[in-house]
Amino acid sequence: MWKEFKEFAVKGNAIDLAVGVIIGAAFGGVIASLVKDIIMPPLGLLTGGLDFSNQFLVLKGAPNGAPFSTPADAAKAGAITWNYGNFVTLLINFLIVALAIFLVVKGINRMKRPAPAAAPVAKDCPACMMSIPIKATRCTHCTSELGGVRA
């Protein structure tokens, strides 16, 4: 059983998966920072200073009826809130990650794509089936006339 586990663990696919998970976790942190620190501030500026992460609706107020400025304050006071701002932030985060992954996969696929085939430089003689230059009008092996333009 140990031998089988060792073979599985050192297979290329298992190692590739582990590397992918580690890079994905680091990439997730970078994207979270990109959304929070780079994209959301200008978006908030365009919407009049609106900070999506603290947007919420109070579904059931706290027993003392106090107002709240953040979802955390509302939760501490016992209110039930609908935190749609956090969802909007996470949705933007997801869309950016999906776009970035799409671009990475597209780039990898472009690198894997085979090069276009080069124009043929040789053809087979119909009489002797030997390979001859594509522009030849006479076979160099059997001297058959090949029809075509003479140079």
Side-chain angles (χ1 to χ4, degrees):
M1 188 165 147
W2 176 251
K3 181 182 174 189
E4 287 179 68
F5 175 73
K6 205 164 82 171
E7 286 175 11
F8 167 76
V10 295
K11 273 187 177 176
N13 293 345
I15 293 171
D16 290 346
L17 179 62
V19 168
V21 168
I22 293 166
I23 289 175
F27 191 67
V30 169
I31 294 300
S33 176
L34 176 69
V35 170
K36 180 183 173 201
D37 302 327
I38 305 297
I39 294 175
M40 293 312 276
L43 195 57
L45 184 65
L46 289 173
T47 58
L50 185 63
D51 178 15
F52 285 106
S53 61
N54 286 323
Q55 295 301 307
F56 65 99
L57 273 168
V58 177
L59 300 176
K60 180 181 176 198
N64 63 6
F68 318 106
S69 58
T70 66
D73 293 342
K76 283 181 190 174
I80 299 172
T81 60
W82 187 32
N83 303 327
Y84 67 89
N86 192 38
F87 175 75
V88 169
T89 301
L90 290 175
L91 183 63
I92 291 170
N93 204 350
F94 169 77
L95 293 173
I96 291 171
V97 169
L99 176 66
I101 294 298
F102 169 76
L103 293 174
V104 167
V105 169
K106 186 175 179 175
I108 289 171
N109 286 342
R110 183 176 297 141
M111 287 189 304
K112 286 183 177 180
R113 190 177 305 144
V121 293
K123 63 182 176 182
D124 290 338
C125 171
C128 68
M129 300 307 291
M130 296 297 291
S131 183
I132 56 174
I134 196 85
K135 293 183 178 180
T137 57
R138 184 177 292 271
C139 178
T140 56
H141 301 284
C142 69
T143 67
S144 296
E145 192 72 38
L146 297 176
V149 180
R150 287 194 165 257

